[in-house]
Amino acid sequence: MFLSNEILEKKTISIILLLSLTLHIIASFFSIGWYGADEQSCVLEYLNSKNGFESNRCFYNYQNEDLITVQKIRSWFQPYIYFIISKITYPLHLFDGFKLTFILRLFSSIIGFWSLVFFYNNTKDHFKNHYAKKTYFFLTFLFWFFPFIHARTSQESLSISFLFFSLALYIQIHNNLNFKKYLLLGFLLTITFILRYNLGIALFFIIVWDLFFTKKSIGSKILGYLLILFSGSILLTIELFINVWGYEETILNIKDLFNLIIPLNFLIYGNVNPNMSQEPFYWYFIKIITDFLPPTSILILISILFFWIKKPISIITFVTLPFFLVHSFIGHKELRYIFPILALSPYFISYFLDNLNNIISNKIFLRKTLYFLFAVNLFALIFISFSSQKNQLNILKKIVNDENINEIYFINDNDYIKKYESLNPFILKNITSNFYFHFHTIKLKERINENNSKLIYSGFCRAGYSIGACVKKEQSKILDNKLFYKLKFVSEKELMIYLRNYKDFNLSEFNRIKLSNNSKEIFILTKNFNTLNQVKAIENCQIKYSNYPSFFSNISFNNINKRISYFSLFSCK
């Protein structure tokens, strides 16, 4: 049951739930691409390899095109689930990467929405006054973060959903021993752990809290732990066999077995990488405020700290505070690592307002501030639900699907391009898009004269030493303006991409290109703001496809036009 009519009308409840579910579905459709590199390389690329396509999997290290080492610290469990879905839904996608990822995002979003409903129903009575209860309902189902995170195919997405299931079920049964529900709890806790090993910290402290603060007898507690261990062991055994399938290895002795116990490998090797950036202890405090939708992020951080101080022995504190502290002491930090804590923001904010209700109700300024922050949240909710994470993929898709485009000039100011980034436009921030486009061959060549060229690099520019090798070869020769890519897709389409570097691309440079090209229509692709404006200034060059409306380049406020990641294709006649 949801809130009673005394707090919210059933019609209002139904509308909000329907709106939340609709926005989850919309985000699944529009949220193309990846938020973090791991979402692509550690999940979808694993799936891509099992579906029979070339892939660039994380922790698979290549020397040129030869696989040399595999660091087994990633579970194949989630890719396996997606593999099963991809096989069942094959007639709906036919291995089209865009259609398949929509199906996977929709699957993740529906599970995420379901987890919100389940968590809300088991925690809604934690608040005293009607204002806080209303706030909790609206924030739970209209928090900007949820359609975004639930539409991800990342480990963070599904692990947070199953953390919500686990925590809600535990809150429901923690003072009573129910055999079936404890077996289910063991399953949910274990799947949460398998999906994101870091969450083992939070799950461990659920057991610690249960040991010291529940009313069950010692015998009931021990029996409950045995039930959790039993169902959890079954799932961990299943994961082991999935990893055998994923890594394509056999278990012949104890050493082989330990090599495929991925949680153990992750614990030993997962955070040992000297190339990762190192941040100070307080980094998360700053990052929450600056990157988690300011100014609402200020209220979120205050609410989290307020809850930890006021409720030090709450199960929510035990789940979140140790998790936060451990990640604060780890040198390498990314905001997504603490997404499980930030996902509980509606709970923290509602508790904060529940305790300050008397102050807020008597202060018009405070009420208006909260209304303003909620309005910011709603704006972000709509914007993010309709946004793409990598809208460059939409432009690349149009280029590939356009039968009239067989060659393009990729023109940029090389000072704008990072030295570690590939110049291949189909590699976005060194993450391959092969999952979406399925290349057959990729060849980097250098033009010698009008009729001859030599091969510089052939391959998929994969992780490990290969990415460094092919990027260096691109960068070392780009200033000569003689490099080009020859891409051949599984669909048999071929696309020539001529790499050009100009500090100042003007009409005379364009005419040189025109003279060397017999086509009536020349296509120019750029991701550089200066080059974008220079091409726009050339007569008969019109934007054909762009990831942002052209007027964005004229918005100079706060340097918005220079900070946007453009990806625009021009048609020049």
Side-chain angles (χ1 to χ4, degrees), residues 27 31 35 144-152 339 384-385 389:
S31 193
Y35 168 76
W144 69 269
F145 181 63
F146 288 138
F148 157 76
I149 191 62
H150 290 154
R152 307 267 48 82
F339 275 177
I384 289 173
S385 297
Q389 294 305 305

Side-chain angles (χ1 to χ4, degrees), residues 462-489:
R462 291 185 242 238
Y465 301 101
S466 292
I467 187 70
C470 64
V471 168
K472 286 179 181 177
K473 289 179 179 179
E474 291 173 334
Q475 297 279 1
S476 64
K477 293 178 176 290
I478 182 61
L479 296 178
D480 297 331
N481 284 340
K482 294 180 180 180
L483 292 181
F484 65 93
Y485 269 104
K486 184 177 181 180
L487 309 180
K488 186 174 182 179
F489 300 83

Side-chain angles (χ1 to χ4, degrees), residues 532 535-536 541-551 553 567-571:
L532 174 75
V535 179
K536 281 172 64 178
C541 283
Q542 302 294 327
I543 291 180
K544 185 176 180 68
Y545 306 129
S546 183
N547 61 339
Y548 289 106
S550 59
F551 69 83
S553 63
F567 214 67
S568 300
L569 182 77
F570 287 84
S571 169

Side-chain angles (χ1 to χ4, degrees), residues 26 32 46 198 246 261 277-278 287 318-319 337 386 422 432 454 477 490:
I26 289 171
I32 295 169
Y46 279 48
N198 306 54
I261 300 178
S277 61
Q278 301 294 305
K287 210 65 177 174
F318 265 62
V319 167
Y337 293 168
F386 285 87
S422 172
T432 177
K454 68 176 181 179
K477 293 178 176 290
V490 172

Side-chain angles (χ1 to χ4, degrees), residues 142-197:
L142 296 178
F143 185 38
W144 69 269
F145 181 63
F146 288 138
F148 157 76
I149 191 62
H150 290 154
R152 307 267 48 82
T153 54
S154 64
Q155 295 167 319
E156 287 84 10
S157 173
L158 283 181
S159 64
I160 288 173
S161 297
F162 278 92
L163 175 65
F164 273 44
F165 281 127
S166 303
L167 192 53
L169 180 62
Y170 176 74
I171 289 171
Q172 180 188 115
I173 66 173
H174 69 278
N175 279 323
N176 299 292
L177 182 62
N178 182 305
F179 279 66
K180 290 183 180 179
K181 289 188 176 181
Y182 262 85
L183 286 171
L184 177 60
L185 180 63
F187 174 83
L188 293 174
L189 290 171
T190 308
I191 198 171
T192 303
F193 172 69
I194 289 173
L195 288 167
R196 190 66 177 164
Y197 294 136

